[in-house]
Amino acid sequence: MEAVPESISFPKTEEAIIEFWDRIDAFQTSLKLSEGRPSYSFYDGPPFATGLPHYGHILAGTIKDTVTRYAHQTGHHVPRKFGWDTHGLPIEFEIDKDLGIKTREDVLKLGIRNYNQACRSIVLRYAKEWESTVKRTGRWIDFQNGYMTMSTSYMESEWWACKRLFDLNLVYRGYKVMPFSTGCKTPLSNFESNLNYKDTSDPSVVVSFPLVEDPQVKLLAWTTTPWTLPSNLALCVSPNLTYIKIIDKKTKETYILCETRLTALYKNPGKNDYELVEKIQGKDLAGKKYQPIFDYFVEKKGSVGFKVLLDDYVRDDSGTGIVHQAPAFGEDDFRVCLVNGVISTGEEIPCPVDSNGNFTAPVQEFLGQYVKDADKEIKKVLKDKGRLIRNDQIVHSYPFCWRSETPLIYKIVPCWFVAVEKFKANLLVSLQDTYWVPSFVKEKRFQNWLNDAKDWAISRNRFWGTPIPIWVSDDGVDKICIGSLEELEKLTGERPDDIHRENIDHLTIPSPRGPEFGVLKRTEEVFDCWFESGSMPFAQFHYPFENKDLFERTFPADFVAEGLDQTRGWFYTLLVISTALFGKSPYKNLICNGLILAQDGKKMSKRLKNYPLPTLILDTYGADALRLYLISSPVVRAEPLKFAQEGVFSVIKDVLLPWFNAYRFLVQSVHFYESSTSTKFQLNVEDALSSKDIMDRWVLSESASLVSFVKKEMKDYRLYTVVPRLLRFIEQLTNWYVRFNRKRLRGRRGWEEARVSINCLFEVLYTITRMMAPFSPFFSEYLYQNLKRIVPDALESIHYLMFPEVRQGAINTQIEENIASMQSVIVLGRLIRDKCKLPLKNPLKELIAVVKPGQEEGLNELKHRIIEEMNVLDVIITSDEKSFIAKSVSPIASKLGKSLRKDAKPVFDKLSQLTDADVNEFIKNQKIEILGHTITLEDVDVVRGFKGDKGTFEAEWDKDLLVVVHINPDASLQEEGFARQVINHVQKLRKKSGIQLNDPIEVFFEAKNELAQALLKGKREGISQAIGVAFVPEAPTAVPVFVETQATLPFLKENIEVQIRIRNLAHTCHVPSLLDIGRRLNVSSPEKFAEHVQSYVASRSYSQLATTLATNGTLDLHFGGQTVSLLNAKHIFSSASQRAQFEDLFEATK
């Protein structure tokens, strides 16, 4: 394996990986390699390319990529095609802004052909940016062969679907009050109107309607839409509510309103405000005529309208209990007026508002005004006429257009509908065959939506879209729905290549009743873009005209995923169309993610600039960090996420960097093993699997258990349980296994043990890297490209590999539990040290762990590791609670208070007086009798406390585990503490000076005072073992690589001063001895001989030469035809300390 640099730039590494994937055509290659495997089908909801991708797209894309990569890794063939939603309001809205188009007439003046050409030109405005961002996030999906809803093949499939629905009597034309966007000049579906509610301020007015029979008596109606009053045709009351006639004491006016709604008239209703005249049942107000405010429709509707109607929809929780009826602008208004004969089916409903939201004739007073702007003028007229009784403002939640951000109005429009209510029961059956994550979205939100599903308005009065293929006669009698280009040609004689409006609107069909009935013309509307995206399962394949087998083989999809907002969008339209056409759901498994908000909890806003751009995050932290941050958050459980840049950084800090360091340490360990043993490391998994070391067995067991867990949870699409568990394993690997095995991996326990531990570390790193490949595809690939160098027959990319299989034989739950218990002990011990400000370098006398019975044996096997990790002289593991724990009980007042009543205080007092023995008996019997009352364990909290000397010991709890630490250090521990400090100091110097793990070094010390000399004398050997090299006094004259001075022991009175030097090892020669050899050889220049020998020695690899000298005891050289043997430790020295010993002897001999 290649050496690993000290640091890594994750973004730059990812860019290099993208280049690698491009070079080997990784995605397409993976598809070719998986041909013949079971198919796994996936539908990608088509986005619009008129805006740049945001975090919501990246989140959904990451979920889709993760699941489909995993499906590939578990033995499936997973084609992935991107799609574009290329029609509809988003494109038209952009063109309207660009061209300054404000009305329908502006479009017609420009020409539909020119308008649609302009739309076509911007359809893929940001397609390149989309492809670049999707690619940068690591998502593999086919852009080149993706589908577009504006392609003729796609549109023809939509025509087929429409004809099928038409033939099933599921398509009809009708009038309906619909949410209407005046900004986009088109009606919206009910689910679209629910996409963008905002709090807004609107008028809140109470208006009077004098009775014809007695104009002094006035009905009071409340409304927040004064602009609808010019179209008023009736009033409605509830037959079951009680109404009152009152005289206002201030104005002397007589009013009728609901008995419980006086607050609509008075702030704090009281006898001083009004006089009650009589009470009236709502049903008794029926038919009473009133004087209209405006006379625009009196001539047309005077005989049937302007009277009181009855309906149960009127409630008394707001307003006055009397609702004004404008049937063109309210769904209930339309229904009530139709039932009561105020309007009739087939007639033109009074609707003096055009598609721009402006008043039209006959409303002359406000002609041409935008309805919302006209509210102020209308209120002025009401006041002048004496009809405005109360004028306030109200802040309420109101729907806005999801595209134009203009407030919606409700307006009657002619529409083509899919009769969803006819097959609503089938939708609910289809839903039952689907699996949703999280389940509550299906069972609550989506099912409730289906239960209340209304007929779906699929037409839009727009231009850039798939034309609805229905031709209608002028009298509306004949209707023909065309389902293919072939049928179009047969009936019209033409077959255009493009079937947008400009190419087919002129085509007519002869009336089937004969030429005297004229011709059928195409209805002007186009499909709602939600109908188009809901048709993608079959339209992407041009079904049923092509790819019939392919569609039927891959339908329904195994998997879809989008955001929570799509429960009333794409998820819904997919289900409606598929159930109507095919009798089943188009998807089997679905993941629904939550919404991503700005860090302040508000909606992300370009205007407010309250979030970092995705490109900034990708360039700063990389895609893997962003992916892991998103899919390990609550957002994958359909909960909202407040996006925080710090959260992405924490993934780098807590996951990717520790993972990188573990990998780097593995590579260093392999190199160190090879250089130290002069043996090529050979991967042998059996070495790891047969290891007797408990940490090896633990990490292999954890790894195997993790594989089993991930397979089970991913089968159920629970990413929110999988990702945290994967990340936790990386933490376990780096913070526990690697740290506990550093010495062993470096050969301190022999090279055989080192080889086994390296194999073990490789096995778990290789396993977690393959497991993480679907989640962090870049970093997994980066690691694999080096790891595979020692893997036999390795494939080119990690994404060609299968997911690891479960090594059942490696799983040992008892060892996992024992190590988990050890970790808990250590964590609590650290907490105690932190709380008492006792650094880990300071040794302590004792740690006591009080555990549950049965845990002692397992923990005692790990006792030496706790001692080493906690830096204590002894560890005691016991289950003897009585010696360390005192129990008491605390009553749960909310449970006992009600039942005990007056006895509560004396019983509580008695409970507080229970001894430890009493509580133990209470626990044993599960109940206790106190003052005639039976108290159970469910009525109290059992409190455990440490009963030892709190001046000498400190304790921490975690469930059933108590850890106690002796916190008073004494002088007898000073040598241990001093040695620990020196060891830490050496390791810091190593890191600071850039010395690598396998770099040969020497470490020297110089004691600056007597106390330091005394302490070092007794601890040199232990320090040498800990740092892995000799620790010797006073460096020779050679220049040190790095020098750091003065280490002190904080809890001692005296300062202990030590100077430590670290030096790279190098072979040196004893020059006087070389000169003697040169003279004996009669060379012409002994000095040049000595220089040549020194140059040669310096050029040799340190490790190789050291091995030669240790094995042979000599280094043989050929010089001038003569062989010269240089002796180890006499002529050549492997360390400065070795040379110093010889020179001392040499001087003494001389």
Side-chain angles (χ1 to χ4, degrees):
M1 290 188 288
E2 291 184 349
V4 181
E6 284 189 34
S7 60
I8 182 174
S9 166
F10 291 103
K12 289 182 179 178
T13 299
E14 291 174 357
E15 289 167 5
I17 294 297
I18 289 174
E19 291 178 6
F20 168 69
W21 286 342
D22 287 344
R23 192 164 61 251
I24 65 171
D25 198 10
F27 176 41
Q28 291 303 323
T29 303
S30 72
L31 291 176
K32 290 174 185 175
L33 290 171
S34 65
E35 285 177 356
R37 296 178 187 167
S39 179
Y40 182 92
S41 60
F42 156 71
Y43 295 158
D44 193 28
F48 293 100
T50 50
L52 294 171
H54 52 67
Y55 288 108
H57 296 121
I58 293 173
L59 167 63
T62 297
I63 293 172
K64 297 169 189 177
D65 188 60
T66 298
V67 171
T68 51
R69 281 182 183 274
Y70 178 80
H72 170 86
Q73 279 192 260
T74 49
H76 296 89
H77 180 64
V78 194
R80 283 152 270 178
K81 287 172 61 175
F82 202 81
W84 295 110
D85 213 339
T86 52
H87 284 149
L89 291 182
I91 290 92
E92 290 199 20
F93 185 67
E94 293 297 320
I95 289 300
D96 288 353
K97 286 193 299 182
D98 291 349
L99 301 182
I101 288 173
K102 299 189 181 302
T103 66
R104 178 180 178 82
E105 289 69 32
D106 291 341
V107 177
L108 297 175
K109 185 176 179 181
L110 175 68
I112 294 176
R113 183 174 300 279
N114 294 330
Y115 183 81
N116 278 359
Q117 187 55 43
C119 289
R120 189 189 303 274
S121 70
I122 70 157
V123 159
L124 299 178
R125 174 181 284 174
Y126 295 111
K128 288 183 179 177
E129 288 83 353
W130 265 87
E131 186 168 356
S132 174
T133 300
V134 169
K135 186 176 183 179
R136 182 63 190 83
T137 59
R139 187 179 176 197
W140 282 4
I141 194 162
D142 187 352
F143 276 92
Q144 273 61 50
N145 299 301
Y147 65 88
M148 288 191 288
T149 58
M150 70 178 185
S151 70
T152 300
S153 62
Y154 193 100
M155 294 165 72
E156 187 180 21
S157 291
E158 292 178 60
W159 278 18
W160 167 82
C162 183
K163 182 175 177 61
R164 285 275 295 143
L165 295 172
F166 186 86
D167 291 345
L168 292 167
N169 292 319
L170 294 177
V171 173
Y172 69 93
R173 185 176 177 83
Y175 285 87
K176 191 170 185 178
V177 176
M178 298 282 293
F180 194 92
S181 169
T182 57
C184 294
K185 309 166 196 63
T186 189
L188 302 181
S189 61
N190 284 323
F191 55 82
E192 285 178 297
S193 70
N194 281 280
L195 294 176
N196 191 20
Y197 266 82
K198 296 181 180 182
D199 286 340
T200 189
S201 178
D202 273 324
S204 172
V205 298
V206 176
V207 183
S208 67
F209 294 84
L211 293 175
V212 171
E213 65 187 43
D214 184 358
Q216 299 304 312
V217 179
K218 300 168 182 177
L219 298 163
L220 298 185
W222 171 77
T223 183
T224 60
T225 55
W227 62 268
T228 60
L229 289 169
S231 304
N232 169 265
L233 297 185
L235 297 175
C236 188
V237 300
S238 170
N240 303 313
L241 293 178
T242 301
Y243 292 79
I244 54 175
K245 182 190 291 184
I246 62 170
I247 298 174
D248 182 89
K249 289 187 176 180
K250 186 176 180 180
T251 64
K252 308 305 180 185
E253 296 279 358
T254 302
Y255 300 131
I256 294 177
L257 74 164
C258 183
E259 178 183 33
T260 59
R261 294 307 306 160
L262 282 165
T263 52
L265 197 58
Y266 306 110
K267 190 173 183 180
N268 296 300
K271 291 182 180 180
N272 294 329
D273 296 312
Y274 66 93
E275 177 186 335
L276 177 64
V277 177
E278 65 174 311
K279 293 187 177 184
I280 309 168
Q281 284 303 116
K283 60 184 175 57
D284 295 330
L285 293 171
K288 289 186 180 293
K289 300 283 284 186
Y290 64 85
Q291 297 176 3
I293 301 173
F294 300 98
D295 60 4
Y296 304 126
F297 302 106
V298 169
E299 184 178 342
K300 186 175 182 180
K301 291 294 178 183
S303 61
V304 293
F306 306 109
K307 62 185 178 182
V308 177
L309 312 176
L310 301 179
D311 197 90
D312 288 332
Y313 94 90
V314 179
R315 300 189 305 181
D316 64 350
D317 56 356
S318 63
T320 62
I322 302 175
V323 182
H324 109 81
Q325 306 290 289
F329 304 112
E331 195 171 358
D332 283 315
D333 305 35
F334 179 85
R335 176 182 56 78
V336 171
C337 287
L338 187 64
V339 169
N340 287 277
V342 177
I343 58 173
S344 59
T345 303
E347 75 163 306
E348 186 177 348
I349 309 301
C351 180
V353 176
D354 64 17
S355 61
N356 299 303
N358 298 332
F359 277 114
T360 61
V363 182
Q364 296 299 323
E365 287 172 88
F366 315 111
L367 191 66
Q369 292 186 39
Y370 178 60
V371 291
K372 287 286 187 177
D373 296 337
D375 277 342
K376 191 176 293 185
E377 290 297 316
I378 291 171
K379 287 193 293 183
K380 185 178 179 183
V381 171
L382 293 173
K383 186 176 181 181
D384 292 344
K385 290 185 176 187
R387 296 293 193 94
L388 186 62
I389 306 304
R390 186 159 180 175
N391 180 20
D392 296 309
Q393 289 290 120
I394 184 174
V395 175
H396 61 159
S397 183
Y398 191 83
F400 280 67
C401 175
W402 63 277
R403 178 54 55 178
S404 67
E405 293 291 340
T406 53
L408 299 180
I409 64 172
Y410 284 79
K411 179 177 181 292
I412 195 164
V413 289
C415 280
W416 291 96
F417 291 88
V418 171
V420 174
E421 293 172 54
K422 281 188 177 181
F423 59 96
K424 185 192 300 185
N426 296 347
L427 292 178
L428 293 167
V429 171
S430 293
L431 179 65
Q432 296 314 307
D433 294 332
T434 63
Y435 173 78
W436 290 49
V437 176
S439 59
F440 76 82
V441 178
K442 169 188 172 180
E443 295 161 1
K444 302 292 184 183
R445 186 184 180 105
F446 196 67
Q447 185 159 321
N448 290 344
W449 178 255
L450 291 185
N451 286 332
D452 197 36
K454 300 289 191 294
D455 287 355
W456 173 20
I458 59 170
S459 61
R460 294 292 178 268
N461 301 92
R462 299 302 300 172
F463 305 93
W464 177 242
T466 299
I468 290 181
I470 299 176
W471 272 253
V472 184
S473 61
D474 289 341
D475 59 8
V477 174
D478 298 323
K479 298 183 183 70
I480 294 176
C481 184
I482 290 178
S484 68
L485 291 176
E486 182 181 348
E487 188 177 359
L488 178 68
E489 184 178 22
K490 181 179 177 181
L491 293 174
T492 68
E494 293 189 33
R495 185 177 181 138
D497 294 330
D498 184 324
I499 53 175
H500 283 92
R501 283 193 59 177
E502 62 271 23
N503 299 312
I504 65 167
D505 276 4
H506 65 285
L507 301 180
T508 60
I509 299 173
S511 172
R513 290 178 289 164
E516 67 272 23
F517 290 97
V519 295
L520 280 65
K521 300 172 186 174
R522 195 192 69 80
T523 186
E524 289 189 346
E525 297 92 336
V526 298
F527 280 123
D528 169 17
C529 61
W530 291 100
F531 184 91
E532 301 203 39
S533 61
S535 300
M536 65 79 55
F538 53 89
Q540 65 172 328
F541 297 117
H542 193 207
Y543 176 89
F545 309 102
E546 293 181 85
N547 303 307
K548 195 169 185 291
D549 290 343
L550 176 60
F551 166 69
E552 291 173 355
R553 193 168 63 248
T554 57
F555 178 86
D558 290 292
F559 169 65
V560 295
E562 294 294 342
L564 191 61
D565 53 333
Q566 295 303 322
T567 51
R568 295 176 179 182
W570 191 55
F571 295 153
Y572 175 69
T573 60
L574 280 173
L575 188 71
V576 168
I577 294 173
S578 179
T579 300
L581 294 178
F582 306 108
K584 57 184 172 182
S585 169
Y587 42 78
K588 300 175 187 175
N589 303 288
L590 183 153
I591 293 179
C592 185
N593 61 264
L595 303 180
I596 301 182
L597 307 174
Q599 193 166 4
D600 58 7
K602 297 178 181 177
K603 186 177 179 180
M604 287 186 170
S605 166
K606 292 180 182 177
R607 180 178 58 83
L608 296 175
K609 297 180 179 178
N610 60 351
Y611 67 96
L613 292 174
T615 49
L616 173 67
I617 295 296
L618 291 169
D619 291 344
T620 305
Y621 305 108
D624 280 344
L626 178 58
R627 288 170 65 114
L628 292 175
Y629 169 67
L630 292 175
I631 58 175
S632 63
S633 74
V635 78
V636 292
R637 299 196 301 269
E639 298 175 18
L641 169 67
K642 296 179 182 178
F643 186 89
Q645 189 168 339
E646 297 80 8
V648 184
F649 173 70
S650 71
V651 174
I652 295 279
K653 177 173 62 72
D654 299 333
V655 179
L656 295 180
L657 277 177
W659 188 9
F660 169 76
N661 288 331
Y663 154 72
R664 181 167 172 265
F665 188 76
L666 167 69
V667 175
Q668 287 177 334
S669 298
V670 170
H671 290 172
F672 190 59
Y673 174 87
E674 292 178 340
S675 65
S676 300
T677 63
S678 298
T679 305
K680 189 72 175 173
F681 176 76
Q682 297 294 323
L683 182 63
N684 187 341
V685 178
E686 291 306 316
D687 277 353
L689 297 175
S690 60
S691 174
K692 302 301 182 186
D693 182 87
I694 192 167
M695 293 305 289
D696 288 352
R697 294 172 66 194
W698 164 71
V699 79
L700 289 167
S701 178
E702 285 279 2
S703 175
S705 297
L706 179 62
V707 175
S708 176
F709 174 83
V710 171
K711 280 176 171 281
K712 176 180 175 296
E713 294 299 291
M714 285 299 288
K715 184 179 179 182
D716 292 330
Y717 293 87
R718 287 194 285 263
L719 271 68
Y720 58 87
T721 63
V722 170
V723 180
R725 181 78 177 265
L726 286 166
L727 303 188
R728 177 177 167 270
F729 180 78
I730 292 173
E731 186 269 336
Q732 293 273 49
L733 176 65
T734 56
N735 286 349
W736 294 95
Y737 180 77
V738 172
R739 196 158 52 80
F740 273 44
N741 280 274
R742 282 184 177 274
K743 294 177 182 178
R744 186 162 159 256
L745 286 158
R746 289 176 180 176
R748 306 276 180 80
R749 298 178 189 170
W751 293 114
E752 177 65 21
E753 277 292 294
R755 182 173 56 78
V756 171
S757 60
I758 292 171
N759 270 294
C760 182
L761 179 55
F762 184 94
E763 168 64 14
V764 292
L765 259 177
Y766 190 53
T767 301
I768 188 65
T769 300
R770 285 178 290 157
M771 278 197 283
M772 287 294 290
F775 305 91
S776 52
F778 290 107
F779 192 59
S780 299
E781 185 75 270
Y782 165 75
L783 297 183
Y784 176 74
Q785 289 306 311
N786 202 19
L787 295 176
K788 75 175 186 180
R789 295 175 188 275
I790 60 173
V791 176
D793 304 319
L795 297 179
E796 195 168 16
S797 168
I798 193 169
H799 300 293
Y800 301 165
L801 303 182
M802 292 297 96
F803 200 80
E805 292 300 323
V806 181
R807 295 190 185 276
Q808 293 289 355
I811 297 177
N812 188 317
T813 54
Q814 187 59 59
I815 289 180
E816 289 184 36
E817 290 172 9
N818 291 346
I819 297 294
S821 298
M822 177 195 76
Q823 290 171 332
S824 297
V825 170
I826 291 170
V827 168
L828 292 181
R830 288 174 183 165
L831 283 175
I832 293 171
R833 277 188 173 272
D834 289 343
K835 185 165 66 175
C836 299
K837 297 181 180 179
L838 294 170
L840 197 57
K841 60 191 175 185
N842 296 350
L844 297 174
K845 184 177 180 181
E846 186 177 55
L847 179 147
I848 303 165
V850 184
V851 300
K852 291 191 298 184
Q855 289 185 326
E856 305 99 307
E857 183 179 351
L859 271 176
N860 273 314
E861 290 180 10
L862 297 162
K863 186 173 169 180
H864 65 288
R865 297 188 181 275
I866 301 173
I867 288 173
E868 182 179 356
E869 183 62 23
M870 288 308 304
N871 194 16
V872 292
L873 297 188
D874 192 21
V875 167
I876 297 172
I877 309 294
T878 179
S879 59
D880 178 18
E881 284 193 350
K882 296 178 182 178
S883 300
F884 301 95
I885 298 172
K887 297 190 188 77
S888 60
V889 295
S890 174
I892 302 174
S894 60
K895 288 188 175 182
L896 285 174
K898 292 180 181 178
S899 60
L900 295 177
R901 297 184 179 177
K902 63 179 182 179
D903 289 341
K905 189 176 184 307
V907 170
F908 286 4
D909 289 341
K910 287 288 185 182
L911 284 171
S912 67
Q913 295 167 14
L914 294 178
T915 65
D916 187 63
D918 294 334
V919 175
N920 285 328
E921 191 67 21
F922 184 5
I923 293 171
K924 179 181 176 182
N925 298 326
Q926 300 287 302
K927 61 183 180 180
I928 192 171
E929 295 291 328
I930 296 181
L931 300 180
H933 296 279
T934 301
I935 311 298
T936 69
L937 278 179
E938 293 180 354
D939 298 323
V940 300
D941 289 322
V942 178
V943 181
R944 290 172 168 82
F946 173 59
K947 64 181 183 182
D949 181 359
K950 294 181 180 178
T952 304
F953 296 95
E954 184 67 38
E956 279 289 342
W957 285 93
D958 181 26
K959 298 178 182 175
D960 295 319
L961 172 65
L962 170 68
V963 171
V964 181
V965 175
H966 192 296
I967 59 173
N968 291 333
D970 55 52
S972 65
L973 299 174
Q974 63 179 345
E975 290 187 14
E976 292 293 335
F978 174 72
R980 188 84 174 219
Q981 280 187 306
V982 170
I983 293 164
N984 289 341
H985 207 60
V986 170
Q987 307 299 26
K988 287 178 183 177
L989 287 178
R990 253 180 169 155
K991 188 173 182 179
K992 194 172 182 180
S993 57
I995 293 173
Q996 302 300 315
L997 172 65
N998 54 347
D999 287 348
I1001 62 169
E1002 293 176 292
V1003 181
F1004 306 96
F1005 69 85
E1006 182 181 353
K1008 294 290 188 178
N1009 57 22
E1010 291 182 4
L1011 182 54
Q1013 289 176 357
L1015 290 172
L1016 285 170
K1017 185 176 181 181
K1019 287 296 169 186
R1020 271 182 57 192
E1021 185 176 345
I1023 294 171
S1024 293
Q1025 289 178 355
I1027 63 177
V1029 296
F1031 186 61
V1032 295
E1034 296 190 11
T1037 55
V1039 178
V1041 171
F1042 198 84
V1043 176
E1044 185 77 8
T1045 60
Q1046 191 165 313
T1048 61
L1049 199 61
F1051 61 77
L1052 293 180
K1053 293 180 180 179
E1054 303 90 346
N1055 278 341
I1056 307 167
E1057 297 184 17
V1058 181
Q1059 185 178 68
I1060 300 171
R1061 296 185 179 89
I1062 296 179
R1063 172 179 184 270
N1064 279 334
L1065 274 178
H1067 284 96
T1068 57
C1069 299
H1070 190 246
V1071 176
S1073 298
L1074 294 182
L1075 292 173
D1076 286 344
I1077 293 172
R1079 294 187 191 101
R1080 289 201 303 273
L1081 293 174
N1082 292 320
V1083 299
S1084 58
S1085 173
E1087 290 78 10
K1088 285 189 177 181
F1089 168 77
E1091 287 177 12
H1092 282 307
V1093 173
Q1094 289 181 92
S1095 296
Y1096 175 75
V1097 168
S1099 70
R1100 288 287 301 272
S1101 159
Y1102 177 85
S1103 58
Q1104 290 179 357
L1105 183 52
T1107 302
T1108 299
L1109 291 169
T1111 304
N1112 303 329
T1114 63
L1115 173 64
D1116 293 333
L1117 300 177
H1118 299 283
F1119 191 86
Q1122 301 183 69
T1123 300
V1124 181
S1125 295
L1126 303 180
L1127 301 178
N1128 184 28
K1130 182 175 181 183
H1131 302 134
I1132 301 177
F1133 308 102
S1134 298
S1135 67
S1137 55
Q1138 187 185 65
R1139 175 173 179 155
Q1141 292 172 8
F1142 172 78
E1143 286 182 341
D1144 289 344
L1145 182 61
F1146 183 80
E1147 289 298 322
T1149 305
K1150 191 168 67 174

